[in-house]
Amino acid sequence: MIEVEGVRKRFGRVTALDGVSFRVAPGERVALLGHNGAGKSTLMKLIGGHLLPGEGTVTIAGRSVADAPDAARRALGYVPEEPDCWGYLSARETLDYVVAVRGGGDVEAALALTGLGADADRLVREYSQGMRRKVAIAAALVAHPPALVFDEALNGLDPPSALTIVGELVRRAEAGAAVLVSTHVIDLVPRIATRVVVLRAGRVEVDCPIADLGPGGLAAVFSGASAP
Amino acid sequence: MLAAALSLPLFEGNLLAFRHLEGADRVSGALGMFARVALVLTGVLSLRGYDLVVRGPDRGTLDLHPVPAVAYARARLARAAREALPAACTAFMFLLPVADSPPLLLAGALLLGGAAAAGVCLGVGVNLAAPGLGTNPAMAGLLDALRGANPRAQAALLWAPAGALFLGGLSVLGAMASLERALLGVDPGWAGAALPLVAVAIGARLAHTDADSLARLPGVLGEVEASWSAAEAAEEGSAVYMDWVVPRLPAAWQRETLRVLRHGWRGERGWLSLGFVGAAMAAAAGFLDPQRPERAALVMLTAAAGVGILGPRLRAREPGWLLLALPAPGRTLAHGVALWLWMQSIVLAGPIAMAVRNLPGAGEMLLRGELSALALAALGARLSTGGYAAVAVLVVAAGAFS
């Protein structure tokens, strides 16, 4: 489970998040939406442990990101918006490392899933931007953590690869993982998620199942035309 | 290297003068020189430890997955030690002036070796432990005294390099005092020479931190960087070094001069900051070497000439096609004015230091400096880097030795 409770975050005079609360239960898939500057990236960094909340708590599988960061990190597969992989290792070596430090996982399956099998032994520094993103996604998935957080992780992937990853996220959720994905690709949202959380000006404006939005409702919510 | 080159005129009179002394004075002088080199060595290596641990290129992946704390600490210590070897070898070259005195040679080797080991271990250990120390209740009092407006966790990370420098410096100075007493026969023991080893033990102990401290680092670092960005963004809108002069310039010069000042401050801040180092060295030269004013002039003008290189560097970046489309009248003049303004801290530092010490010749030094700065600014505003460097050498020589 991913739980965000009463999180406020300020940067100088700017309030990036103002009392954000929501939870992603095991088996649930949630899409985090919002315009540029709405606070999505700040919230994702807080969940990933790359920022600390000013107020409120973030917990991953019951472990506080602030108070028990190692345990929270072990429970989380996180793909940041701009992943930075080790260029001096191959994709296979990177995943071997992740499996070693996380205590298990299927490297070959992760390579096959992300389509990196044929290039698995090339150094990551030789990869294109999209392939590097696939390495980061494979690293997040390989050890089957109970919580998955993807921050704009599907950007730059070719459509078949993006759909394959979406399919895997659905399977992971069916197996009990809590999945949170932020994206600007509105067409993918119904495939990725069963629920949307929309941030506007640092606050949760909408938090409801996609099914409740009705035809065209998702686009309307995203553009701010209506809020159920 | 620039700082070292500018320091050269100061070395002999202030660092190596002990060679002409005898007995206790020679011992004190030599140990003073070793201590200064050892302090620099500890500082450089402990800051390198900060780079490795906090700013290392591996963070992108390390920040996403669990990190085996003990293995990570050992690997970082081993790498820091390996990377310290060139600096340590360079420092050991300062033993050459005492090669004829085995006791001084041994004392110097102990001091420099201890300083290198302390720098490595403290640099890695203190910075690795800092995120954990930031949440340790036992550290709350100290951190509250230091933190200002920062949360404790950030304060711990921000002050960690200073803590490493403090502990390393303390151990080096303690060892130096003990060795001096031993060599002068005041105190029979050399035990104080082991003080840097105590610093090594502290650093090594701190390096073996827990996994939570390692996992906390990206969050604390993210907070520091976010705070810095917020402060920098506010500064960018309001302050550029020397921009307060612009409203006092003729109206026709103001726009272009402000543009050059902004480009220089935002794009070449490191180079301009070296100019401040040059100003400090010019002040030191003016203050410390009253018998040889030409040395102070040489330091001052060399540093000013270094700042003048910004002219060609900035012009090389300007998009020529854009300048054709948007003509900028007075562009060369603006570069010259900006360069002259940037040189002022250097040109004023030496004469002010001489005036503070009530030495004769401060006025003459100021005149030489300003005339040379005008010449250097005019050259920097027009010439390419190579042409400027060649002519600037002549200006510096003429200004310093005329």
Side-chain angles (χ1 to χ4, degrees):
Chain A
M1 178 181 319
I2 301 164
E3 195 160 12
V4 178
E5 186 62 43
V7 167
R8 293 179 200 279
K9 185 70 195 169
R10 291 176 62 87
F11 298 112
R13 295 176 184 173
V14 177
T15 301
L17 296 172
D18 189 6
V20 171
S21 298
F22 67 90
R23 53 190 287 188
V24 184
E28 198 174 16
R29 291 176 279 128
V30 174
L32 182 67
L33 307 179
H35 291 289
N36 294 334
K40 294 192 309 296
S41 290
T42 300
L43 181 57
M44 290 305 226
K45 285 179 182 173
L46 284 165
I47 295 170
H50 288 208
L51 282 175
L52 304 173
E55 290 176 36
T57 57
V58 177
T59 56
I60 309 292
R63 280 85 167 202
S64 163
V65 171
D67 299 331
D70 184 59
R73 188 186 280 193
R74 286 178 187 279
L76 178 66
Y78 174 54
V79 184
E81 188 174 2
E82 292 172 8
D84 182 13
C85 303
W86 286 329
Y88 47 82
L89 294 186
S90 67
R92 190 189 306 281
E93 288 166 334
T94 302
L95 297 185
D96 283 342
Y97 166 81
V98 174
V99 165
V101 295
R102 285 186 177 270
D106 187 342
V107 171
E108 294 307 321
L111 288 170
L113 172 75
T114 48
L116 289 170
D119 299 297
D121 294 311
R122 284 171 55 201
L123 295 184
V124 170
R125 76 162 68 102
E126 298 168 1
Y127 282 9
S128 68
Q129 200 62 34
M131 291 168 78
R132 291 179 191 208
R133 195 172 284 275
K134 288 179 181 178
V135 175
I137 290 170
L141 293 170
V142 67
H144 291 263
L148 291 166
V149 172
F150 281 34
D151 186 4
E152 307 281 359
L154 304 178
N155 292 359
L157 296 188
D158 55 87
S161 297
L163 289 174
T164 303
I165 301 299
V166 168
E168 181 64 16
L169 291 177
V170 172
R171 278 190 292 279
R172 293 295 176 97
E174 288 169 353
V179 177
L180 176 65
V181 178
S182 85
T183 181
H184 281 112
V185 186
I186 199 83
D187 294 341
L188 275 180
V189 172
R191 294 172 185 260
I192 298 172
T194 53
R195 200 177 111 218
V196 289
V197 172
V198 181
L199 287 183
R200 197 173 307 279
R203 297 181 180 200
V204 175
E205 188 177 73
V206 177
D207 181 352
C208 70
I210 293 176
D212 290 358
L213 295 174
L218 187 60
V221 161
F222 187 61
S223 65
S226 66
Chain B
M1 286 184 71
L2 180 64
L6 291 171
S7 303
L8 274 176
L10 300 173
F11 272 2
E12 191 173 0
N14 296 285
L15 207 57
L16 301 175
F18 71 88
R19 289 179 305 151
H20 309 299
L21 303 174
E22 295 295 334
D25 289 341
R26 179 177 163 82
V27 169
S28 297
L31 285 175
M33 185 265 286
F34 291 142
R36 285 177 232 181
V37 175
L39 286 172
V40 171
L41 186 61
T42 305
V44 167
L45 296 182
S46 68
L47 290 175
R48 178 60 191 145
Y50 167 83
D51 266 351
L52 267 179
V53 169
V54 178
R55 301 282 175 186
D58 298 338
R59 294 238 62 88
T61 301
L62 288 173
D63 289 352
L64 301 179
H65 303 286
V67 179
V70 174
Y72 179 70
R74 285 183 184 157
R76 280 291 176 255
L77 282 169
R79 180 166 170 183
R82 206 166 51 243
E83 292 187 355
L85 281 176
C89 291
T90 305
F92 270 78
M93 289 174 66
F94 281 84
L95 294 173
L96 290 176
V98 297
D100 58 341
S101 169
L104 273 178
L105 197 63
L106 177 61
L110 286 172
L111 206 53
L112 294 173
V120 166
C121 290
L122 287 171
V124 172
V126 174
N127 288 297
L128 264 180
L133 294 175
T135 59
N136 187 335
M139 297 293 292
L142 177 63
L143 290 172
D144 284 346
L146 294 172
R147 70 192 179 97
N150 297 301
R152 282 181 197 153
Q154 289 182 46
L157 193 65
L158 290 169
W159 281 94
L165 288 172
F166 176 74
L167 289 174
L170 208 61
S171 71
V172 165
L173 293 176
M176 188 206 81
S178 178
L179 286 169
E180 186 174 18
R181 289 167 65 84
L183 287 172
L184 295 177
V186 178
D187 185 338
W190 286 59
L195 274 175
L197 295 183
V198 176
V200 167
I202 293 172
R205 173 68 190 86
L206 287 172
H208 287 86
T209 184
D210 59 15
D212 271 333
S213 182
L214 290 179
R216 199 168 276 118
L217 179 58
V220 179
L221 190 58
E223 291 293 317
V224 170
E225 287 177 345
S227 303
W228 178 252
S229 295
E232 194 176 44
E235 182 203 9
E236 286 288 287
S238 59
V240 167
Y241 177 53
M242 280 295 188
D243 65 351
W244 59 273
V245 179
V246 172
R248 293 161 179 80
L249 294 174
W253 301 9
Q254 289 182 6
R255 181 178 159 182
E256 271 303 293
T257 304
L258 184 60
R259 190 180 67 81
V260 178
L261 287 172
R262 282 179 174 161
H263 284 207
W265 184 240
R266 291 171 185 170
E268 296 281 0
R269 198 174 299 191
W271 196 262
L272 274 172
S273 301
L274 277 178
F276 299 142
V277 175
M281 301 188 77
F287 195 83
L288 295 173
D289 212 1
Q291 308 303 321
R292 309 279 287 273
E294 71 276 8
R295 282 187 175 175
L298 184 61
V299 173
M300 175 177 79
L301 295 180
T302 305
V307 168
I309 291 175
L310 276 174
R313 282 172 69 105
L314 287 174
R315 280 202 315 285
R317 285 188 185 178
E318 289 182 342
W321 59 269
L322 189 60
L323 291 171
L324 284 174
L326 298 169
R331 179 168 155 260
T332 304
L333 178 69
H335 274 92
V337 172
L339 290 175
W340 183 78
L341 288 172
W342 286 330
M343 290 175 191
Q344 289 309 300
S345 64
I346 298 167
V347 170
L348 294 173
I352 287 175
M354 292 174 74
V356 166
R357 223 180 148 183
N358 207 20
L359 298 173
E364 186 198 339
M365 178 78 85
L366 180 62
L367 185 63
R368 279 197 215 189
E370 289 296 356
L371 288 174
S372 302
L374 279 173
L376 290 167
L379 294 167
R382 286 183 176 279
L383 301 179
S384 65
T385 304
Y388 170 79
V391 186
V393 170
L394 299 176
V395 173
V396 170
F401 301 111
S402 61

